[in-house]
Amino acid sequence: MDKQQILAGNIDGKIVDYVEEVMRVHNLDEKGKDDEILSRIVAINDHIQLLSEQLTELRGQITASTSDDKYALTKAKLIRLMKDMGYY
C-alpha cells in the first residue's frame, strides 16, 4: 500500500482532498513547464539544423570560388611570372 494512502486513513478527509488537489495542480504546472522546455528544445534543434544547412551551402560556395580563382591571373601572380621569366 502507498504511504500516502496509509497516512490518509489517519487524517481528516478535507486535508486529504486539499493535499491531493495541491499535488494535482503542481503536476499540471510541472507538465506545462516541461512542455514549454520541450518546445524550446525542438525550436533550437530546428535552428541548429537550418544553420548546419547554411554552413554546408557556404562551404560549397567557398570551394567553388577557390577552384575558379586558382586559374585567375592576379597582379601578384603576374609579377611572380615576370620574375620567373626574367622580365621584372
Side-chain angles (χ1 to χ4, degrees), residues 57-73:
E57 183 180 326
L58 288 173
R59 283 183 179 158
Q61 289 175 358
I62 289 172
T63 303
S65 69
T66 55
S67 65
D68 291 344
D69 291 343
K70 180 178 173 183
Y71 300 106
L73 187 60

Side-chain angles (χ1 to χ4, degrees), residues 3 7-8 10 18 20 27 33 36 50 52 57 60-61 65 70 72 77 82 87:
K3 185 176 180 178
L7 293 174
N10 299 332
Y18 172 75
E20 287 176 353
N27 289 339
K33 289 177 185 176
E36 181 182 339
L50 176 67
S52 176
E57 183 180 326
Q61 289 175 358
S65 69
K70 180 178 173 183
K77 288 181 182 179
M82 290 174 70
Y87 295 117

Side-chain angles (χ1 to χ4, degrees), residues 3-21:
K3 185 176 180 178
Q4 182 181 1
Q5 292 174 346
I6 294 171
L7 293 174
N10 299 332
I11 300 174
D12 183 31
K14 290 181 180 181
I15 295 173
V16 172
D17 291 341
Y18 172 75
V19 169
E20 287 176 353
E21 183 64 19

Side-chain angles (χ1 to χ4, degrees), residues 27-43:
N27 289 339
L28 286 175
D29 288 344
E30 289 299 315
K31 184 179 181 327
K33 289 177 185 176
D34 291 346
D35 291 344
E36 181 182 339
I37 290 171
L38 182 61
S39 67
R40 285 183 183 179
I41 290 172
V42 168

